[in-house]
């Protein structure tokens, strides 16, 4: 009998160092964007996470700003 395994779920929550690597940003710049309300975070206890949706929204914001400059 073969075991059926479910596919691994996509990540939905990312730690700050993961997002730093994804967006090629320093910790300082990332937290600056969070403070300005441009990148949303969620907290679980003392841990800080950034959702996949928040990352997509932030990238869309950057794209909109780039289009406005043209």
């Amino acid at each position: 009998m073969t075991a059926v395994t479910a596919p691994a779920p996509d990540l939905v929550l990312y730690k700050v160092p993961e997002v730093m690597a994804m967006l090629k940003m320093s910790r300082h710049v990332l937290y600056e964007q969070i403070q300005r309300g441009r990148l949303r975070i969620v907290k679980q206890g003392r841990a800080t996470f950034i959702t996949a949706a928040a990352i997509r929204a932030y990238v869309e914001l950057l794209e909109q700003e780039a289009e406005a400059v043209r």
Side-chain angles (χ1 to χ4, degrees):
M1 188 159 102
T2 60
V4 178
T5 59
D10 293 332
L11 283 179
V12 225
L13 297 175
Y14 295 92
K15 299 285 276 178
V16 169
E18 294 171 316
V19 178
M20 288 168 49
M22 268 188 252
L23 298 178
K24 310 285 191 270
M25 289 184 173
S26 69
R27 181 179 219 83
H28 175 77
V29 171
L30 191 69
Y31 275 106
E32 187 176 77
Q33 297 302 299
I34 292 167
Q35 276 188 322
R36 291 181 177 177
R38 295 168 51 91
L39 181 61
R40 294 184 321 269
I41 61 169
V42 294
K43 298 286 254 177
Q44 174 61 44
R46 293 182 354 187
T48 300
F49 294 100
I50 301 168
T51 65
I55 295 167
R56 281 192 299 276
Y58 178 70
V59 171
E60 287 174 14
L61 173 66
L62 294 177
E63 289 174 342
Q64 289 171 3
E65 290 175 350
E67 288 296 321
V69 172
R70 291 184 188 181

